[in-house]
Amino acid sequence: MDLRYSEAELAFAAEVRAFFANDYPQDILAKRRRGQSLAKSDLQRSERALSDRGWLAANWPPEHGGTGWSVTEKYLFDEELERAGAAPIVPMGVIYVAPVLYTFGSEEQKRRFLPEILKANTFWAQGYSEPGAGSDLAGLECRADADGDDYIVNGSKTWTSQAHFADWIFCLVRTSREERKQQGITFLMIDMNTPGVEVHPIITIDGGHHLNTVSFENVRVPQSNRVGEEGKGWSYAKYLLTHERTSYAHIAGKKEQMRKLESCARETRDGRDTLWADPEFRRRYEAVAVELTTLEYTTLRTLAAVATGGAPGNESSILKVRSTEVAQAITELWLEAAGYLGVRAVPDRSDADWNGGRGGPFAPAWPVTSVADYFFTRAQSIYGGTNEIQKNVIAKQVLGLE
Ligand SMILES: Cc1cc2nc3c(=O)[nH]c(=O)nc-3n(C[C@H](O)[C@H](O)[C@H](O)COP(=O)(O)OP(=O)(O)OC[C@H]3O[C@@H](n4cnc5c(N)ncnc54)[C@H](O)[C@@H]3O)c2cc1C
């Protein structure tokens, strides 16, 4: 196996790198370096910059506006995006619902929704989980009752990421009660501006507002917003989840975190030994680096399988478990580094504009944000289906153990 990049691939990577250095909104990169959260308008500008270049929808088929990139090009693009520190693509529209639409949606739905996602005009939320239905998602109770050409939706969704930004939400709703709970579930797209839809914020342990509860009270939704057949939503939802779980790896971002961690751990403070000189820290750093390399090759294998025609299968559960474990291990090392170096004055770092340039003592952004990152990364082994549930999937569907 030849693992070297070709000349053309290296030229492509250089083109992407130049784009992020010159044509991408630089103020967004600066905000990200400072660990500031991004507003919806920032995310929209970020996605429009990619869209203008034709680079927003790497995972879509070219006939719908996808890039037509090879697996390697997609990988190189992600690597450059994460190396530059650009905003991640908000996945709910581009990565989650779009594949369902171009695979199962009607021609009218494809014409209506895909271009709007591609131009970053509409942001989406994912309405799967409910207060009483998370791991046991098929137990969901949010109801859609047919009424003429419409459905009337009643119930609530919870842990809904970015619902406060979203223009649309795709929901799993119950349209009938069958013996098997998975039957009678329908995939419905709901305009967030419809009367009766309300968004209630949930503030997480990192202090951020990422999550919400969304309630629906007698919300009238045209039946033409249903994707595919009534009662078949479970199979579309499962298809979506394999795309979702494959998207968690973020290898390049993890590599970048490890590079930065090494450089921060090499800093001296008040004449003390560096953290890098501590053999126990180095041992754990190298152990995580090895895990990351194995994750990288597992990811490449999965992407290569997708490139040769397969949708990502249940193997995506393996990626989900490993990616989240490695992500959490990295933030644990970061937290330790932050504790070692402290967050007080560090006078000569280039990212020292954390205090907004007001002068006086300052701290670099990373020790402060590493605490929030540590807390929020705990959630990775919960969302998209918990790691325990992924292990059940691996046991039953991949290893055939019943
Ligand atoms: C940050 C974040 C973002 C999220 N974003 C979204 C979103 O945008 N849209 C959305 O629909 N949902 C979202 N979720 C919800 C997420 O999908 C659920 O939290 C998840 O599926 C778990 O469901 P639950 O919270 O109800 O936990 P529960 O299902 O109640 O599970 C509780 C615990 O029991 C374990 N458990 C449950 N059943 C089993 C079993 N059969 N075998 C072994 N262990 C089991 C679980 O692993 C877990 O540890 C998000 C969650 C988080 C934390």
Side-chain angles (χ1 to χ4, degrees):
M1 189 161 65
D2 185 356
L3 294 174
R4 285 167 304 182
Y5 293 122
S6 68
E7 287 295 315
E9 286 162 349
L10 290 172
F12 171 77
E15 185 190 348
V16 178
R17 192 175 295 193
F19 164 81
F20 283 113
N22 302 312
D23 302 329
Y24 181 85
Q26 299 296 303
D27 61 312
I28 295 179
L29 298 182
K31 269 189 167 180
R32 299 255 305 152
R33 273 198 300 277
R34 291 195 292 263
Q36 289 174 303
S37 51
L38 299 180
K40 179 176 177 179
S41 55
D42 295 323
L43 295 170
Q44 213 148 20
R45 281 189 302 125
S46 169
E47 297 203 353
R48 285 196 179 137
L50 297 176
S51 178
D52 288 347
R53 193 67 177 243
W55 286 353
L56 181 60
N59 56 325
W60 300 14
E63 63 268 29
H64 296 301
T67 53
W69 286 337
S70 67
V71 172
T72 312
E73 285 166 330
K74 279 184 205 162
Y75 188 76
L76 289 170
F77 176 79
D78 286 346
E79 185 142 282
E80 293 304 330
L81 182 145
E82 291 181 0
R83 191 201 307 269
I89 292 171
V90 182
M92 278 71 82
V94 180
I95 299 172
Y96 300 172
V97 78
V100 172
L101 281 169
Y102 61 67
T103 310
F104 304 107
S106 67
E107 288 309 312
E108 160 61 19
Q109 288 170 341
K110 289 179 206 173
R111 265 196 308 276
R112 179 173 173 200
F113 292 108
L114 292 177
E116 290 298 291
I117 296 174
L118 199 57
K119 284 186 254 160
N121 286 346
T122 49
F123 276 58
W124 287 73
Q126 177 180 35
Y128 279 17
S129 308
E130 297 184 5
S135 303
D136 182 21
L137 185 58
L140 60 92
E141 290 288 338
C142 185
R143 259 184 24 238
D145 300 312
D147 182 41
D149 291 339
D150 299 331
Y151 289 112
I152 307 293
V153 178
N154 279 288
S156 61
K157 297 290 173 181
T158 193
W159 313 123
T160 324
S161 302
Q162 310 286 14
H164 51 304
F165 285 170
D167 307 291
W168 283 81
I169 182 167
F170 57 90
C171 287
L172 292 180
V173 290
R174 185 157 297 288
T175 39
S176 67
R177 295 198 178 274
E178 311 288 336
E179 203 172 313
R180 267 191 85 235
K181 290 188 293 191
Q182 286 79 357
Q183 290 167 336
I185 291 176
T186 295
F187 195 103
L188 198 60
M189 301 180 289
I190 303 177
D191 183 340
M192 292 293 282
N193 289 316
T194 319
V197 179
E198 274 190 28
V199 177
H200 315 272
I202 299 173
I203 305 302
T204 37
I205 193 170
D206 62 327
H209 178 194
H210 317 272
L211 301 180
N212 306 274
T213 294
V214 184
S215 59
F216 303 89
E217 199 183 333
N218 293 323
V219 176
R220 187 167 281 278
V221 182
Q223 290 205 12
S224 56
N225 287 2
R226 184 187 69 226
V227 176
E229 287 177 57
E230 188 174 282
K232 293 276 161 53
W234 189 252
S235 55
Y236 313 137
K238 278 206 313 195
Y239 174 84
L240 184 150
L241 279 172
T242 57
H243 279 266
E244 176 174 344
R245 288 171 188 155
T246 315
S247 71
Y248 286 136
H250 297 296
I251 302 294
K254 290 184 175 63
K255 283 200 220 158
E256 194 55 24
Q257 279 180 303
M258 291 293 277
R259 268 195 292 271
K260 283 196 184 140
L261 178 58
E262 178 181 337
S263 118
C264 292
R266 283 177 182 277
E267 281 179 14
T268 50
R269 184 81 206 284
D270 306 331
R272 284 156 65 189
D273 279 347
T274 66
L275 185 56
W276 198 245
D278 173 355
E280 178 53 22
F281 180 82
R282 283 290 295 282
R283 188 191 63 73
R284 282 186 292 118
Y285 179 95
E286 298 303 345
V288 174
V290 169
E291 293 291 340
L292 181 52
T293 305
T294 60
L295 175 65
E296 179 174 16
Y297 284 95
T298 309
T299 305
L300 287 171
R301 264 208 322 270
T302 309
L303 293 179
V306 174
T308 50
N314 288 315
E315 292 80 3
S316 60
S317 292
I318 301 173
L319 278 188
K320 206 264 166 175
V321 172
R322 295 304 295 137
S323 319
T324 53
E325 286 173 350
V326 173
Q328 291 176 345
I330 294 173
T331 61
E332 281 156 27
L333 290 174
W334 268 106
L335 194 63
E336 188 172 330
Y340 187 82
L341 288 168
V343 296
R344 287 180 304 117
V346 183
D348 54 0
R349 284 186 54 91
S350 57
D351 60 352
D353 47 357
W354 170 251
N355 67 349
R358 288 189 297 277
F362 45 65
W366 69 264
V368 180
T369 53
S370 57
V371 178
D373 281 351
Y374 168 81
F375 282 127
F376 195 66
T377 307
R378 302 303 97 192
Q380 278 196 19
S381 42
I382 301 173
Y383 59 71
T386 68
N387 278 16
E388 290 76 25
I389 294 298
Q390 303 313 314
K391 286 175 185 171
N392 287 349
V393 171
I394 295 164
K396 285 187 199 154
Q397 315 289 341
V398 182
L399 302 176
L401 308 170
E402 261 306 329

